[in-house]
Amino acid sequence: MMNKRAVYILILLFIISLFYTSSATELDFKRLREKLVTKYIIGQGIKNRDVVNSMLTVPREVFVPNKYRSQAYEDKPLPIGYGQTISQPYIVALMTELLEPKKEDKVLEIGTGSGFQAAILAQIVKEVYTVEIIEPLAVQAEERFKKLGYNNIHLKIGDGYFGWEKYAPYDSIIVTAAAEHIPPPLLKQLKRGGRMCIPVGIPYFTQILKLVHKRENGSIVVKDIIPVLFVPLLRNRLNYEN
Ligand code: SAH
């Protein structure tokens, strides 16, 4: 029979080993994150320092379902349930860079999903307003924001086609689901001088990532960036069930 002291020591050793295992995984993720940023973010031409730093900071593994954690630092989209996906890291970085985000900015995101893109923005700008149409995804994202301490992300459940009028106008707008056209309410809620990044095209086919610039005189300039593949912008809550 082991004496009591031996049992205590064994328990203590077990607890210490748990601590070391978890901090080792965190270190592993940090290393993987640095690799991803070097190879696919900087390596594919992202130059904005704030964007690079943000990609080096936000733990993407927290935003993917447990079973995909080991793939969190591959440069690809991953399923997050309800037929939705967390976007590919390079695309997140590219869209963020295209917005030319500034420290004092107020940004609107349509399609919260996992919350990863919102977190990337929240590291850089003052306030992020994000709208998600699928309630359980919104609830999960909110939990992640709380866990990671982001108190400058404000989330609303609703149809993002209509934006979020209450806090408009926005310095920039990012839409992370593919629309068939640029939603007029979003154009209206964009500040003069502001930018909007949005994939436009036919659902489940290739779309074009567009950069919309609202000039100081109110005129609109649209530039095609690259072909992309996003999940569609849903036009009513029931769509995602079928
Ligand atoms: N930005 C996300 C990627 C989300 S995928 C991330 O970083 O993980 C697109 C998201 O848009 C999905 O969560 C989907 O539910 C949401 N969505 C689709 N149509 C929408 C709409 N009309 N309004 C708001 N969100 C919508």
Side-chain angles (χ1 to χ4, degrees), residues 80 84-87 92 109-118 131-134 137 158-161 176-177 230-235:
I80 54 170
Q84 306 305 320
T85 53
I86 176 174
S87 310
V92 171
E109 179 197 24
I110 305 305
T112 317
S114 68
F116 181 70
Q117 172 73 70
V131 184
E132 171 57 53
I133 203 167
I134 300 179
L137 287 178
D159 184 352
Y161 183 89
T176 62
F230 274 83
V231 292
L233 186 75
L234 306 168
R235 291 313 323 282

